[in-house]
Amino acid sequence: MSRSRRPPDEGASPVPDRNTVAPRRADAARVTRAFGSLLRWALRRAPILLAVSVVLRLAWTLLSPNGMNFVDLHVYVDGSASLLDSDLYSYTYAEVTPDFPLPFTYPPFAALVFLPLHFLPFAVVAVAWQLATIAALYAVVRMTFTLLTGSAVLTPRRHGFVLLWTTVGVWSEPVRTTLDYGQVNVFLVALVMAAVSSPRWWVAGGLVGLAAGVKLTPAVTGLYFLARRQWKAAAFSALTFAGTVAVSFLLIGSEARQYFTTLFGDADRIGPVGSVWNQSLRGTISRILGYDVETGPIWIASVLVAAALAFAAWRAIGRDDALGTLVIVQLFGLLVSPISWSHHWVWLVPMAIWLLHGPYGRMLGTRVVAGFWLVSMLVGVPWVLSAFQESIWVIPRPAILAWLGAVDVIGVVAVLLWVIYAARVTRGSASRSPRPDPGPVR
């Protein structure tokens, strides 16, 4: 009598077929080896890849029909020159933007900083601005790795990563549009990175205060100083910013009074809040609801949620993670600012480096989140969607476009939620393991 084989219990996991598992593992190993070979090839040729990127970028600037528009650089140069006529905040630039004449929206101290550029040929300023922006991006990436590793010494392999990330950064949407417009964002990020990298509180606070004097957005870095308990740096950054205001009142009093009494905080003057180029919470929610939520209850509630997520993420990673703390603070600032144009999001480059090379870089979820951001940055989702918006001034739009236009806000929420989870998992694994986690290979 033959024994009948008992059927497996319902819901029980079937025993893997070795003939199926082995090929899958072999395929995964081949993909890993191929990626490793490609990465080693790229690291060896990183200087050449960056040089080619710079040449291509300059060729685009000099040879494409709109490559030398530099609308924001015109605002800096020509707008600051209007100081000579005491007419700074009446100036607009509309030569290539007739639907939106661009005003000078920066603090008056910025006009004093930019004024010397007016005495140089604009073409010379424009090309030099491009090269200096790329050099500043390299400095940002290098300082990011320094913050990440705690060492200013770069091994050849790590310097290869710095060059590769600079190459990628040049073609990311935030830097790409910064170069297109002649924007100041990369310089401001470099100032903040230099500030938080300095061991001297007066240098750290002074650089952040000066950056905020040129453009208000770097002022959020004060939260970084508070989170790190760098009380002197926080206080000195506020004092330095106050100094820029005092200098403005002393040298160009009428413009300073106009800015700080009438124009300060006027988001409508900065630009169309509902445009897809505005990737802040206010812009995103306004597009989804079909009207400008302004700074009412809906916006306040969203800011509170963002603050709670950012605080939870910071608590999860710990105060010792300087780069992680800085990234979280800057992402929070981008969310809560009334206007966060896509070229303001240069902080995505340090964020991607922190995700992939930081303490959670070996986790699959980290690579998925970082991959989402890399694709989004290189494609330029807001840039693609801008072709489908009827006008930069029209807020209501089809739901699919409104939700796709939430790409940066959704991405930041994904980063914060993942970091909260990954930090707790990593901490739990470390407490159960007798050996410390060696960390990612850098």
Side-chain angles (χ1 to χ4, degrees), residues 15-284:
V15 177
D17 187 349
R18 293 180 180 177
N19 294 328
T20 304
V21 173
R24 289 178 180 173
R25 289 178 177 173
D27 291 342
R30 278 194 294 270
V31 170
T32 302
R33 286 195 299 271
F35 177 78
S37 298
L38 178 62
L39 181 60
R40 287 189 294 273
W41 178 90
L43 287 172
R44 286 194 299 269
R45 292 161 178 80
I48 298 173
L49 294 175
L50 179 56
V52 170
S53 275
V54 173
V55 170
L56 290 177
R57 178 65 227 191
L58 288 177
W60 171 266
T61 298
L62 297 172
L63 302 178
S64 66
N66 300 316
M68 288 291 287
N69 281 352
F70 295 115
V71 291
D72 287 320
L73 187 58
H74 272 290
V75 172
Y76 302 155
V77 175
D78 302 336
S80 62
S82 64
L83 276 177
L84 303 176
D85 300 321
S86 300
D87 201 26
L88 177 62
Y89 291 109
S90 297
Y91 166 85
T92 57
Y93 176 78
E95 186 174 333
V96 295
T97 57
D99 57 336
F100 178 29
L102 300 172
F104 191 92
T105 60
Y106 304 90
F109 181 75
L112 295 173
V113 172
F114 295 137
L115 182 59
L117 300 177
H118 174 66
F119 299 101
L120 300 173
F122 185 82
V124 173
V125 173
V127 174
W129 195 273
Q130 292 256 300
L131 293 173
T133 298
I134 296 173
L137 177 64
Y138 167 82
V140 166
V141 175
R142 181 171 181 135
M143 287 184 286
T144 299
F145 274 93
T146 298
L147 278 177
L148 188 64
T149 63
S151 172
V153 178
L154 292 178
T155 63
R157 176 179 173 83
R158 196 171 298 148
H159 190 246
F161 275 116
V162 170
L163 296 175
L164 277 183
W165 274 106
T166 305
T167 303
V168 172
V170 166
W171 300 104
S172 66
E173 186 186 37
V175 179
R176 195 169 66 222
T177 50
T178 289
L179 291 168
D180 287 341
Y181 302 149
Q183 258 284 345
V184 73
N185 302 296
V186 177
F187 299 124
L188 297 178
V189 172
L191 278 176
V192 171
M193 292 293 295
V196 302
S197 300
S198 174
R200 297 176 176 84
W201 60 267
W202 55 274
V203 172
L207 289 176
V208 169
L210 286 174
V214 173
K215 194 171 184 175
L216 297 175
T217 50
V220 74
T221 311
L223 294 177
Y224 169 86
F225 292 140
L226 297 177
R228 300 273 293 170
R229 297 184 179 178
Q230 298 178 4
W231 315 120
K232 291 181 179 179
F236 197 65
S237 67
L239 184 62
T240 304
F241 174 72
T244 67
V245 176
V247 168
S248 302
F249 272 97
L250 180 65
L251 298 180
I252 45 174
S254 59
E255 282 79 6
R257 281 190 296 274
Q258 183 181 4
Y259 181 82
F260 288 106
T261 60
T262 304
L263 305 177
F264 185 81
D266 184 2
D268 293 333
R269 187 173 183 274
I270 298 174
V273 170
S275 170
V276 72
W277 294 107
N278 178 21
Q279 287 291 305
S280 69
L281 278 172
R282 179 173 168 182
T284 297

Side-chain angles (χ1 to χ4, degrees), residues 101 128-129 214 293 311 322 325 360 377 387 395 408:
W129 195 273
V214 173
V293 297
F311 181 76
T325 300
Y360 320 114
M377 285 193 297
I395 295 179
D408 285 3

Side-chain angles (χ1 to χ4, degrees), residues 170-431:
V170 166
W171 300 104
S172 66
E173 186 186 37
V175 179
R176 195 169 66 222
T177 50
T178 289
L179 291 168
D180 287 341
Y181 302 149
Q183 258 284 345
V184 73
N185 302 296
V186 177
F187 299 124
L188 297 178
V189 172
L191 278 176
V192 171
M193 292 293 295
V196 302
S197 300
S198 174
R200 297 176 176 84
W201 60 267
W202 55 274
V203 172
L207 289 176
V208 169
L210 286 174
V214 173
K215 194 171 184 175
L216 297 175
T217 50
V220 74
T221 311
L223 294 177
Y224 169 86
F225 292 140
L226 297 177
R228 300 273 293 170
R229 297 184 179 178
Q230 298 178 4
W231 315 120
K232 291 181 179 179
F236 197 65
S237 67
L239 184 62
T240 304
F241 174 72
T244 67
V245 176
V247 168
S248 302
F249 272 97
L250 180 65
L251 298 180
I252 45 174
S254 59
E255 282 79 6
R257 281 190 296 274
Q258 183 181 4
Y259 181 82
F260 288 106
T261 60
T262 304
L263 305 177
F264 185 81
D266 184 2
D268 293 333
R269 187 173 183 274
I270 298 174
V273 170
S275 170
V276 72
W277 294 107
N278 178 21
Q279 287 291 305
S280 69
L281 278 172
R282 179 173 168 182
T284 297
I285 296 172
S286 296
R287 287 189 295 273
I288 291 172
L289 296 182
Y291 64 91
D292 184 3
V293 297
E294 299 183 334
T295 53
I298 296 176
W299 179 80
I300 293 173
S302 68
V303 168
L304 291 176
V305 171
L309 282 175
F311 181 76
W314 169 67
R315 287 294 301 271
I317 66 171
R319 192 180 297 112
D320 292 336
D321 190 340
L323 179 58
T325 300
L326 181 63
V327 165
I328 290 170
V329 165
Q330 299 299 336
L331 292 181
F332 174 71
L334 288 166
L335 288 182
V336 302
S337 175
I339 300 286
S340 290
W341 301 128
S342 62
H343 52 75
H344 291 175
W345 290 72
V346 176
W347 283 104
L348 295 181
V349 176
M351 180 207 70
I353 295 172
W354 176 62
L355 287 175
L356 289 174
H357 297 269
Y360 320 114
R362 288 185 173 181
M363 301 176 71
L364 177 60
T366 303
R367 296 175 182 180
V368 170
V369 173
F372 163 85
W373 273 113
L374 286 173
V375 171
S376 174
M377 285 193 297
L378 292 174
V379 170
V381 176
W383 172 73
V384 173
L385 293 178
S386 67
F388 298 95
Q389 62 183 5
E390 178 183 348
S391 164
I392 59 175
W393 299 101
V394 175
I395 295 179
R397 62 202 61 205
I400 181 64
L401 297 181
W403 282 101
L404 286 174
V407 58
D408 285 3
V409 171
I410 292 173
V412 170
V413 171
V415 168
L416 296 178
L417 289 175
W418 173 253
V419 166
I420 294 169
Y421 171 79
R424 290 178 179 173
V425 168
T426 302
R427 190 163 52 247
S429 299
S431 65

